[in-house]
Amino acid sequence: GFKVTAYGIHHYQNSQIPPIAGLNNKWLRSPQNSTLEKPLAALASTVSAALSDVDVILMLGVSPALLAGLPKILNKRIIINLDGLEWKRPKWGLMAKCYLYLSELCAKHLANETIVDSLALKKHHQSKYHKEPIYIPYGTKLTSPEPADQNTLEAYGLKPEGYLLQVCRLVPENNTDWIIQEYEKSGL
């Protein structure tokens, strides 16, 4: 079996959510709503994981990748899920963009494996770093609606296979506007 430890920031902990069997949660203190909140939490969790008896460390997002050197030195296997081209996002200032760009470089050179969720990201990382990331798409196997699902669709005026569902953050790189335009052109 596996022993899984998940790190989180203490003030985001929801005590009403019951613990998951087999999952060890470690809640770290970090200054709330500070620019340093996430970098300090990433540092604390990376050091804690590196010094523990874990074999594999999965980093979600590119930002903690600058810290991957310590676990690498301690012979931990590092997997980093690259969440888009963070350093290109307009919401970040120059310092943050530089940090995120360096994090991406570290991810590609320090991680044993990297993961992407889009073919465009896979192509980018393959061509730029000559190291193929693992592609794990989001999605599900489509099935025919159950009768109860039919009632839900009808309640919203929808028909099976006559609508499109996109679940995402409303940020430019998710291309929601483009998806709506193409859906309207499709005639569904």
Side-chain angles (χ1 to χ4, degrees):
F2 295 97
K3 181 172 77 171
V4 178
T5 300
Y7 291 88
I9 299 173
H10 186 266
H11 52 265
Y12 293 114
Q13 182 179 6
N14 184 342
S15 60
Q16 296 184 5
I17 297 175
I20 298 171
L23 178 65
N24 175 28
N25 289 309
K26 286 197 174 185
W27 297 101
L28 304 169
R29 302 229 175 252
S30 192
Q32 193 167 357
N33 298 325
S34 162
T35 307
L36 297 175
E37 175 186 69
K38 289 189 179 168
L40 288 175
L43 175 63
S45 60
T46 301
V47 169
S48 176
L51 297 176
S52 74
D53 64 350
V54 301
D55 300 313
V56 179
I57 297 174
L58 171 62
M59 295 179 167
L60 300 175
V62 74
S63 59
L66 272 177
L67 307 168
L70 176 63
K72 187 77 171 180
I73 290 168
L74 297 173
N75 294 318
K76 306 294 182 180
R77 187 162 173 77
I78 303 164
I79 302 170
I80 302 176
N81 185 7
L82 305 168
D83 185 28
L85 300 175
E86 286 289 328
W87 57 273
K88 284 190 170 186
R89 292 189 173 152
K91 69 179 180 178
W92 301 117
L94 182 61
M95 289 295 289
K97 285 182 179 198
C98 290
Y99 174 84
L100 292 166
Y101 184 76
L102 287 173
S103 294
E104 182 180 294
L105 291 173
C106 286
K108 294 311 289 184
H109 295 290
L110 293 175
N112 297 87
E113 298 290 345
T114 55
I115 299 169
V116 295
D117 60 17
S118 82
L119 291 173
L121 269 180
K122 180 179 179 179
K123 184 177 178 182
H124 164 79
H125 286 285
Q126 253 178 305
S127 65
K128 185 168 183 173
Y129 301 108
H130 309 290
K131 186 176 177 185
E132 185 174 354
I134 297 169
Y135 170 59
I136 303 176
Y138 292 124
T140 184
K141 181 180 177 188
L142 298 177
T143 60
S144 298
E146 297 291 324
D149 296 332
Q150 283 285 74
N151 294 336
T152 302
L153 291 178
E154 289 171 8
Y156 290 98
L158 301 172
K159 295 179 180 161
E161 299 182 27
Y163 66 96
L164 177 73
L165 174 66
Q166 180 183 14
V167 180
C168 67
R169 289 177 297 131
L170 293 176
V171 293
E173 63 267 22
N174 285 334
N175 298 304
T176 304
D177 56 340
W178 179 81
I179 290 170
I180 292 170
Q181 290 168 7
E182 294 303 309
Y183 174 76
E184 288 173 343
K185 286 182 195 176
S186 75
L188 287 177

